[in-house]
Amino acid sequence: MTLPRKHLFDLPPGVIYLDGNSLGPLPKGAAERAQRTITDEWGGQLIRAWNSAGWMALPQQVGDRIAGLIGAAPGSVATGDTLSIKVYQALAAALKMRPDRRVILSDSGNFPSDLYMAQGLIGTIDKGYELRTPAPQDVAEAITEEVAVVMLTQVDYRSGRMHDMAAITARAHAVGAVMIWDLAHSAGAVPVDLAGSNAEFAVGCTYKYLNGGPGAPAFIYVRPDIVDNIQPALSGWLGHDAPFAMEPEYRPAMATERMRVGTPPIVQLVLLDAALDAWEGVSMAEVRAASQVLSERFIREVEARCPTLRLASPRDPQARGSQVSFAFDHGYAAMQALIDRGVIGDFRAPDIMRFGFTPLYLDEADVVRAAEILEEVIGQELWRDPKYQTRSRVT
Amino acid sequence: MTLPRKHLFDLPPGVIYLDGNSLGPLPKGAAERAQRTITDEWGGQLIRAWNSAGWMALPQQVGDRIAGLIGAAPGSVATGDTLSIKVYQALAAALKMRPDRRVILSDSGNFPSDLYMAQGLIGTIDKGYELRTPAPQDVAEAITEEVAVVMLTQVDYRSGRMHDMAAITARAHAVGAVMIWDLAHSAGAVPVDLAGSNAEFAVGCTYKYLNGGPGAPAFIYVRPDIVDNIQPALSGWLGHDAPFAMEPEYRPAMATERMRVGTPPIVQLVLLDAALDAWEGVSMAEVRAASQVLSERFIREVEARCPTLRLASPRDPQARGSQVSFAFDHGYAAMQALIDRGVIGDFRAPDIMRFGFTPLYLDEADVVRAAEILEEVIGQELWRDPKYQTRSRVT
């Protein structure tokens, strides 16, 4: 099957959705799956559904499906919690692997929550750890022998700039540092060769390109050859080797299952599982090729139509994830005006208009039409309308 | 309205459900609410639903509703994550409040995940903390000036034995220790005067007596007069004072909002919000009175009918939560045989048959019928059937 496969999604009429990098749309069949889980399984089978409806196995099954999209082996990805929690788990485990070092290296383009979680962990341990955040392009040089852990988001949430996963990981390993990749804007967006990179940890969320729905569970990968030595910081009962033996002492479960914590959110997991059906038979190489066609076309159209917007993403498509950002001083208001006209992107402070390209449900005509509407908004200064100036809490 | 209010729940025909203390049943209207959220809000409004459908405000709204059931002030309860995560948050914050002490006091009856999370935190901090777990009845005496934090589950998950919240908290405070209550088997089960107890922290889950569904989000309470001094260990972006300002440094949000971490599981929150409707107009005193009638009757019937079962809960109803446990050497098989006959309780290792009493949807006739069926299973040794011997992972 070729891309796009719009028929697999319930997209509202009249909307061009360029914000699948923030919250993916509703896949067809997902609502029905959730309904069945709520009514037949929870309602009809009650507590028995943990076994009879396969709820106990679901986190691992979904983890295996995600593994297939990020170049990881089956059994190496655990699902659950939020991405911030998974960042904390990975970072706490990584620091234990380099007890003699005190530097966590990230970059200034990392998503703030990743940095916040590092700050919280540093405060909790309280042994003089330091978080360094050079500019993204200076990271490689900043990887020195002081560094315990390099923790980066592969694709910058603002600019779409993409780190070279293999090169940065190799550099980290060359100085004896542990590597953590946040794949929030990579999973389902670009081909990821996680096993090939040899990184120790990766984390990610599933409500963006994977279309798992609002608050869908996160995931964590641990490299199979080291996982049996990981002593989880967040050692909850569902990461225990025998959760229902109710032993007084924590004993980690086999492999990446030990990174599970508490009772999994079954309804959200079912939605995610249904959403992953849309990836059956698609290769990430195919997605990447289509995404580059879409984003190159968008850049061309916008630059021709809206000269006041400045490209805030790398011009080289190989150096970009699956989004394109433009800087515009009135970006917040302009994005509201655009959304009001059915083209949904989002805004990221201070001045970034962000557009995600998701080839599962977007085609070139969508992209051209979006650029046309953007041209109206910018050219006619439609963003000056007072109603677009009031900031809400999201987007 | 008097109890029970069975018409508010979708209970499968032919089932007497005595396991609402493990997973509450499906409240009527919850499936429809979830469907609307999935189809109209996620599907129809996409990213805009965070504002337009009120998703951003939902965690706090649901927290306020839970606060009303546990004797806490509005704004003092945050929702999200799992109970294990909330235990970690509370414990990490509590230890920071007593930096000169190194003992965490719990009890041997605490739910294992609470103990596991403490063990994980101790390992993460790695500064010689010690977890002590005396028998439940010896806890009060073990609260000494060495103790930094007393962390207890009010109602014992196995026996149903209930700690005296006010007395234990007073004792902890008398020696300068911080108090954390786990209300997993209290919220919606017994009246809780959290503010009156003066405890610093409480945590709980919502899929038991609150009927929020499988993997429903957990909650955490922080005493309002101390919350502004709490520096969260799990400092995620949604606990930041201005999540969308994307600042590089974590600044905690006002009040208990700072205990939020990552993107909330909207569909599970909506299910929980719908489930909380069943509590409108019910007082916890009324629930408690009804629960004691049910559990007293059950004990009387079972003791008369099944002399080989030994009561494993306190005989005094004031000293018990809303469950009754019986010890039986073949408890696992007997529970399977019972479930096979439509009476659903659960089993907790090593030999506990556990029955929850949930007056929202149970009446005295249910309880008598359950005892009759239990009498058949035990008296006729129906549990000897080989099909009841194979252990599954849950119940």
Side-chain angles (χ1 to χ4, degrees), chain A residues 228-256:
Chain A
D228 290 337
N229 295 318
I230 299 298
Q231 194 67 23
L234 302 176
S235 43
W237 71 311
L238 288 182
H240 191 284
D241 191 47
F244 291 91
M246 306 288 171
E247 298 172 4
E249 294 289 328
Y250 180 74
R251 275 194 302 119
M254 291 292 289
T256 310

Side-chain angles (χ1 to χ4, degrees), chain A residues 128-141:
Chain A
Y129 281 96
E130 179 194 347
L131 174 63
R132 291 185 189 161
T133 55
Q137 62 276 17
D138 301 331
V139 163
E141 228 172 288

Side-chain angles (χ1 to χ4, degrees), chain B residues 165-166 169 173 179 193-201 221 223 225:
Chain B
M165 179 178 284
T169 305
H173 289 172
M179 186 74 226
D193 181 10
L194 197 48
S197 80
N198 214 28
E200 285 86 353
F201 299 93
Y221 161 89
R223 208 175 68 196
D225 66 305

Side-chain angles (χ1 to χ4, degrees), chain A residues 130-248:
Chain A
E130 179 194 347
L131 174 63
R132 291 185 189 161
T133 55
Q137 62 276 17
D138 301 331
V139 163
E141 228 172 288
I143 301 175
T144 63
E145 295 199 346
E146 285 177 291
V147 174
V149 183
V150 181
M151 175 184 80
L152 295 170
T153 298
Q154 188 191 12
V155 178
D156 189 300
Y157 75 104
R158 261 187 300 230
S159 68
R161 179 190 186 280
M162 190 158 62
H163 280 297
D164 182 332
M165 179 177 283
I168 296 267
T169 304
R171 169 82 195 151
H173 289 172
V175 300
V178 177
M179 187 73 226
I180 302 173
W181 287 106
D182 180 339
L183 304 177
H185 292 268
S186 306
V190 297
V192 177
D193 182 11
L194 197 48
S197 80
N198 213 27
E200 285 85 351
F201 299 93
V203 296
C205 68
T206 64
Y207 47 75
K208 298 179 183 294
Y209 294 91
L210 298 182
N211 313 308
F219 66 86
I220 185 167
Y221 160 88
V222 186
R223 207 176 67 197
D225 65 304
I226 63 165
V227 70
D228 290 337
N229 295 318
I230 299 298
Q231 194 67 23
L234 302 176
S235 43
W237 71 311
L238 288 182
H240 191 284
D241 191 47
F244 291 91
M246 306 288 171
E247 298 172 4

Side-chain angles (χ1 to χ4, degrees), chain B residues 22-41:
Chain B
S22 187
L23 175 68
L26 174 62
K28 275 195 181 124
E32 201 189 322
R33 272 285 302 281
Q35 199 62 12
R36 207 157 61 227
T37 294
I38 294 169
T39 305
D40 301 351
E41 296 174 9

